Amino acid sequence: MEHKEIESNHDLLGGLDISSTEEIEVPKALIEQVVGQDHAVEVVKKAANQRRHVMMLGTPGTGKSMLAKAMAELLPKEELQDVLIYHNPEDSNNPKIRVVPAGKGKEISDAHKLEAQKRSQARNMFVMLLVLGVVVYSFYIGQIFMGIIAAVLIAILMRQFMPKETIFIPKLLISNVDKKIAPYIDATGAHAGALLGDVRHDPFQSGGLETPSHDRVESGAIHKAHKGVLFIDEINTLRIESQQNLLTALQEKEFAITGQSERSSGAMVKTDPVPCDFIMIAAGNLDALKGMHPALRSRIKGYGYEVFMNDTIEDTPENRQKFVRFVAQEVVRDGKIPHFDRSAVEEIIHEAKRRAGRKGHLTLKFRDLGGLVRVAGDIAHGENSPLTTSRHVLKAKNIARSVEQQVAYQYLERRKDYKLFVREGAQVGRVNGLAVMGEDSGIVLPIIAEVAPTQSKSEGHIIATGMLKDIAKEAVQNVSALIKKTTGKDISGMDVHIQFVGTYEGVEGDSASISIATAVLSAIQGIPVDQTVAMTGSLSVRGDVLPIGGVTYKIEAAALAGIKKVIIPRSNLGDVLIEDEYKDKIEIIPVTKIEEVLEHSLVGKEKAGFISRLKRLATKTSKINIALPDTAPASALP
């Protein structure tokens, strides 16, 4: 708790003397607005200069799409082009392509439209005069009825056999008129037609009602990104065929458009190759590499750059000043919320420290942090406040809670109602573990251990329930060795049962290691565990308590549940930035060894002798590592 008080006395604005973000100058260039991704910014600048492809991997919300937009600003707009598509009189299913400088396409298309309009007016005048002549002539010869029929037939025949003027009008397939920067096209989640172009189906194939094939051609994202940037997030979600075609477009820098549905009349149409000389920025999480076409990744890697995005940045005065600028940028970009005063910016930076989950760092998940800025601004706007204050930010933190936080709160309330975890007294073999749900919410995870005579004639078993995943399953097997090392008892005649209460869809991770160790040893020795204590931490093979993630959220969950003390790894103490409302509700106990965990959690007259024996054994032999669940799923509700 001393660390929290020391941090609160520092200048959270990094030495800036401002009263509100209105005094902060926001850079005009998007690339200069990027915060905390210096390596990625350098790569983007080089890639834009040399026209290289880039792959960005990392946590969502760290600025990948912003960097892609910034690259479009760095590309020369003088190279932009328009693409026109013309009817091919020799083969109507093979429209012709023409590339012209940007702005010329509209001029050419408008000129053809004007010429076609003149021809249409001349034709209509001719048909009208001919029909009128027939009607007048039939009136003079007394055959007015036959004259009307003849006039209708002439009009139909003229419409049927005279070519439509629209067939000679080229379609402006790609237009870059009046564009001040190179195109930026976000093709995330695009289906094949939207990505590669398509030809619309024409249900009227004959009778003079059909639409010319070149008018039915639609450009794809790869064509719209010509001389610009094509951004594809979660690229591994593209079908493998689309990735193969994308690779062809990258290699050839042109790609013909055809109908994507084989049952459509558009499938008969195939244009001349359409230029698509773009820079591709592919993005995703680390698992995106698994679903990528190997040749596509090789193309990017061989002719471009791969970047891993930072999700935290060192907490320095210089970087805090950048966060002040970030708040100002969000206010200016939104355009509908009031600027933030000094106290509000301090609260945002404090929240950035909390969300980093790592001492001495600030989070770079700006999408989530920007959401908090906008909600706080909306609250201030709703109150007609001239500035957004810390009060608005604190209120926004409660309103803008993630779904996981809301579920975790209900999760705790239901567990209180049904007494799924115990907050007072002492029980043998029962421990209040802690886990993280999602990324920003903690829950209390009760763990119960029991020892029973073995049902096997050969040996005892460790039996764990709670739908444990791979890491947890492997870790549980180490418990038998722990029992032998710490108790000296022969467990060949007993089964050790371990239950994770309320984990209906499985758990994974290792931050409940000290919890399961305490529960099992309590069950074996018959020594009660203090139920006012919760704990989280991993264990090394030598019995050291190792750091874990989400410590702040776990402590807050314990406090919210009414637990009085929480045991955490000492190495995580600097990561603790709990809210002021929880500060006086819970005592934080940092530990470095499993013996310290047992010292603070076990109660009863047999406790002292057991811990003394454990310490003697610790000097002679190593302990075994146990690694158990770290997280519980958001859907794990009673």
Side-chain angles (χ1 to χ4, degrees):
M1 298 311 297
E2 293 179 359
H3 182 78
K4 172 72 167 59
E5 293 171 357
I6 291 173
E7 284 296 324
S8 66
N9 292 329
H10 285 343
D11 182 4
L12 285 173
L13 271 59
L16 285 178
D17 185 15
I18 61 169
S19 57
S20 77
T21 54
E22 193 172 6
E23 303 171 27
I24 302 296
E25 183 179 355
V26 176
K28 293 183 179 179
L30 203 56
I31 194 70
E32 296 177 6
Q33 296 182 17
V34 178
V35 177
Q37 304 292 351
D38 294 343
H39 174 61
V41 167
E42 182 182 359
V43 167
V44 164
K45 288 180 177 178
K46 290 180 179 178
N49 185 50
Q50 298 293 333
R51 296 193 66 82
R52 307 292 190 196
H53 306 298
V54 181
M55 174 179 285
M56 298 180 185
L57 299 177
T59 307
T62 50
K64 296 187 286 290
S65 61
M66 186 176 182
L67 282 166
K69 291 178 182 177
M71 178 182 277
E73 291 184 355
L74 299 175
L75 296 176
K77 66 175 183 178
E78 293 79 9
E79 297 182 0
L80 300 184
Q81 297 173 326
D82 291 343
V83 178
L84 294 160
I85 184 168
Y86 289 80
H87 170 68
N88 184 355
E90 297 179 0
D91 183 358
S92 62
N93 286 327
N94 178 219
K96 311 303 290 183
I97 297 296
R98 181 184 175 189
V99 181
V100 297
K104 292 292 183 183
K106 189 175 186 305
E107 294 179 10
I108 295 172
S109 178
D110 289 345
H112 278 81
K113 288 178 181 178
L114 183 59
E115 183 65 27
Q117 187 178 8
K118 292 178 180 178
R119 287 198 302 267
S120 178
Q121 289 174 350
R123 186 190 70 174
N124 292 339
M125 181 61 71
F126 172 74
V127 172
M128 186 178 66
L129 291 175
L130 181 59
V131 169
L132 183 61
V134 171
V135 172
V136 171
Y137 176 73
S138 64
F139 177 76
Y140 278 107
I141 65 174
Q143 297 290 331
I144 185 64
F145 181 71
M146 294 300 296
I148 293 174
I149 293 176
V152 172
L153 289 174
I154 290 172
I156 293 174
L157 291 174
M158 293 293 286
R159 180 181 178 85
Q160 181 72 23
F161 293 105
M162 288 186 69
K164 294 181 179 179
E165 285 73 15
T166 54
I167 202 169
F168 301 109
I169 302 175
K171 179 178 180 179
L172 189 55
L173 198 62
I174 305 294
S175 175
N176 286 307
V177 65
D178 297 331
K179 283 194 175 177
K180 297 181 180 180
I181 62 172
Y184 167 78
I185 305 298
D186 188 343
T188 302
H191 57 79
L195 178 66
L196 307 170
D198 204 349
V199 182
R200 289 180 283 113
H201 177 66
D202 184 8
F204 302 104
Q205 300 280 321
S206 59
L209 300 175
E210 67 274 7
T211 302
S213 60
H214 74 287
D215 269 345
R216 295 186 283 124
V217 175
E218 302 292 344
S219 58
I222 61 173
H223 308 108
K224 294 174 183 176
H226 180 53
K227 297 297 183 181
V229 174
L230 179 71
F231 177 70
I232 305 179
D233 201 359
E234 304 299 340
I235 190 168
N236 55 312
T237 60
L238 283 180
R239 294 177 58 187
I240 202 69
E241 297 86 352
S242 294
Q243 293 190 46
Q244 179 64 55
N245 290 326
L246 187 59
L247 174 62
T248 302
L250 287 174
Q251 293 172 332
E252 304 296 331
K253 301 185 186 303
E254 57 181 17
F255 195 84
I257 300 175
T258 188
Q260 294 297 322
S261 173
E262 62 181 12
R263 298 190 178 189
S264 167
S265 62
M268 297 297 295
V269 178
K270 186 174 183 180
T271 70
D272 282 352
V274 180
C276 54
D277 183 10
F278 57 86
I279 297 175
M280 185 175 79
I281 295 188
N285 299 322
L286 279 176
D287 59 359
L289 298 177
K290 299 178 182 179
M292 278 191 68
H293 194 296
L296 179 60
R297 188 196 171 189
S298 177
R299 179 75 185 183
I300 298 173
K301 190 175 182 180
Y303 293 87
Y305 300 88
E306 291 187 343
V307 178
F308 184 74
M309 304 291 288
N310 300 324
D311 55 10
T312 62
I313 188 175
E314 190 176 355
D315 184 11
T316 65
E318 180 184 0
N319 288 333
R320 290 186 181 187
Q321 292 180 14
K322 292 178 181 179
F323 269 72
V324 177
R325 194 190 72 203
F326 160 75
V327 177
Q329 289 171 183
E330 290 298 303
V331 172
V332 171
R333 186 177 293 120
D334 186 88
K336 296 177 291 185
I337 59 177
H339 277 278
F340 280 47
D341 70 5
R342 186 181 185 90
S343 67
V345 178
E346 289 177 345
E347 194 61 43
I348 292 293
I349 295 177
H350 177 67
E351 184 64 18
K353 292 167 64 65
R354 274 174 44 82
R355 297 189 181 191
R358 181 181 175 192
K359 59 186 175 183
H361 283 75
L362 301 164
T363 184
L364 290 178
K365 296 178 183 177
F366 287 121
R367 185 175 297 144
D368 295 341
L369 206 59
L372 178 62
V373 170
R374 283 181 284 278
V375 173
D378 287 344
I379 295 172
H381 181 268
E383 296 179 359
N384 294 319
S385 175
L387 290 174
T388 304
T389 67
S390 59
R391 180 178 65 82
H392 298 128
V393 177
L394 291 171
K395 191 174 181 180
K397 287 169 69 172
N398 184 53
I399 294 175
R401 291 183 302 165
S402 68
V403 172
E404 289 85 358
Q405 288 176 314
Q406 296 175 52
V407 170
Y409 180 79
Q410 294 184 15
Y411 193 69
L412 288 172
E413 290 300 312
R414 292 190 184 186
R415 284 179 172 233
K416 286 180 184 177
D417 292 342
Y418 293 100
K419 298 182 179 180
L420 294 180
F421 59 82
V422 181
R423 296 173 290 174
E424 55 187 18
Q427 291 190 20
V428 173
R430 185 182 184 110
V431 172
N432 290 318
L434 297 170
V436 172
M437 181 181 294
E439 295 182 352
D440 57 1
S441 55
I443 60 169
V444 177
L445 180 66
I447 298 172
I448 301 174
E450 186 61 86
V451 178
T454 180
Q455 296 180 355
S456 170
K457 296 181 180 179
S458 57
E459 60 179 351
H461 295 84
I462 305 294
I463 304 167
T465 57
M467 296 184 66
L468 306 187
K469 297 181 182 178
D470 293 338
I471 296 176
K473 287 180 180 178
E474 294 173 1
V476 168
Q477 301 305 315
N478 295 328
V479 174
S480 60
L482 174 69
I483 297 169
K484 294 175 184 177
K485 296 290 183 182
T486 57
T487 67
K489 293 185 178 181
D490 181 10
I491 63 167
S492 61
M494 65 179 71
D495 288 335
V496 179
H497 295 261
I498 305 168
Q499 180 185 11
F500 298 87
V501 179
T503 56
Y504 305 111
E505 292 189 6
V507 287
E508 184 67 299
D510 68 345
S511 74
S513 299
I514 63 173
S515 304
I516 188 62
T518 303
V520 171
L521 291 173
S522 169
I524 293 288
Q525 298 296 321
I527 303 174
V529 178
D530 186 355
Q531 298 302 297
T532 66
V533 177
M535 60 185 72
T536 180
S538 179
L539 280 177
S540 75
V541 294
R542 295 186 180 274
D544 301 314
V545 180
L546 303 178
I548 43 79
V551 63
T552 294
Y553 303 119
K554 292 175 180 178
I555 294 172
E556 291 178 345
L560 190 62
I563 291 170
K564 303 301 182 184
K565 301 177 182 178
V566 61
I567 297 172
I568 66 168
R570 181 172 291 277
S571 50
N572 277 124
L573 189 58
D575 302 331
V576 178
L577 284 171
I578 63 174
E579 298 283 15
D580 292 339
E581 62 182 292
Y582 302 115
K583 188 168 60 174
D584 298 326
K585 293 182 179 180
I586 195 162
E587 178 186 352
I588 299 173
I589 304 173
V591 298
T592 57
K593 292 282 188 179
I594 183 63
E595 296 93 319
E596 297 175 62
V597 175
L598 299 174
E599 180 72 38
H600 288 287
S601 59
L602 298 182
V603 294
K605 59 183 180 180
E606 298 181 4
K607 165 186 170 180
F610 172 64
I611 293 178
S612 176
R613 185 168 68 252
L614 184 63
K615 289 180 178 179
R616 288 197 302 271
L617 290 170
T619 61
K620 298 179 181 179
T621 183
S622 299
K623 301 174 186 64
I624 201 70
N625 179 49
I626 54 174
L628 285 173
D630 184 20
T631 61
S635 56
L637 285 176

